[in-house]
Amino acid sequence: MSQSLASFADLIRSVEHSALHLEMRDVYAVENETDGFEAWKAGHRLNPEDRSSWWRPWLDLVQEVTGTGVAVRRARIVSEPASEYIRYEHSFTFTNVAGGEEVRWLPRRNASDLALPGNDFWLFDGKLVQFNVFDGDGHWVHTDETSDPNVAAFCSTAFEAVWDRAIPHEKYSV
């Protein structure tokens, strides 16, 4: 399934309680991040004081949704030492937190005994799962969606297991 930011925005705006996101890759090659990643590699860093320069429209959307009382949590399982991409991602995660997301990091070595799904996912209100399928180079391929209660329960359990072990963003360094 192909999904636009607008359709995702409509979906997350419909959430009543929680939106959970589990990321498990060390490299993403998402087209809208290419310029930012290249600038970061050249030494550019986001200015915490200049909110207008941050990742839009995502942060506005998160702020809107969390402002209604919805919990938006993101957990990232990462290899150590961190890949160049993860170091880039870590450098701007303060913007996610400022937008209202809670973000935690779990070193991959601490996830070996956890049962995890094969793909990154979003879980909405514990009922709807969207798996983000990427190719080996980190390019997004498509999104699979299911409301199968067994899959939702599995993803919820996996996310909470990661969350319980993960390190809050402000305490994690790469």
Side-chain angles (χ1 to χ4, degrees):
M1 169 173 96
S2 179
Q3 185 174 45
S4 68
L5 181 58
S7 64
F8 184 83
D10 290 342
L11 175 60
I12 201 167
R13 282 184 180 113
S14 73
V15 170
E16 296 177 5
H17 306 288
S18 65
L20 311 178
H21 190 193
L22 182 61
E23 297 176 355
M24 299 181 284
R25 299 183 53 84
D26 286 320
V27 175
Y28 292 89
V30 182
E31 287 182 25
N32 67 343
E33 291 181 346
T34 302
D35 292 342
F37 189 31
E38 291 303 316
W40 178 85
K41 288 193 282 187
H44 173 69
R45 299 298 182 266
L46 291 180
N47 178 352
E49 304 304 318
D50 183 13
R51 289 180 75 99
S52 66
S53 70
W54 298 356
W55 189 22
R56 305 282 188 218
W58 173 251
L59 295 174
D60 295 328
L61 178 61
V62 170
Q63 195 164 17
E64 174 188 336
V65 170
T66 58
T68 68
V70 171
V72 178
R73 295 188 290 157
R74 180 185 306 255
R76 294 176 171 144
I77 299 173
V78 296
S79 297
E80 292 181 325
S83 68
E84 185 175 44
Y85 178 85
I86 293 300
R87 292 192 313 272
Y88 158 69
E89 192 173 53
H90 186 272
S91 77
F92 66 78
T93 296
F94 73 90
T95 67
N96 296 70
V97 174
E101 280 187 68
E102 293 180 75
V103 181
R104 292 187 182 181
W105 303 80
L106 181 64
R108 191 171 310 283
R109 71 180 180 279
N110 296 335
S112 296
D113 62 340
L114 299 178
L116 300 169
N119 292 290
D120 291 6
F121 66 85
W122 278 95
L123 176 61
F124 302 100
D125 283 336
K127 298 176 186 172
L128 176 67
V129 181
Q130 283 194 339
F131 291 105
N132 293 313
V133 180
F134 294 87
D135 69 15
D137 293 323
H139 297 98
W140 178 83
V141 176
H142 66 271
T143 297
D144 291 333
E145 187 173 287
T146 182
S147 56
D148 179 318
N150 293 321
V151 175
F154 172 70
C155 288
S156 178
T157 299
F159 182 89
E160 295 302 338
V162 169
W163 190 259
D164 287 347
R165 291 183 185 184
I167 302 162
H169 174 69
E170 57 278 1
K171 295 181 179 177
Y172 184 75
S173 59
V174 293

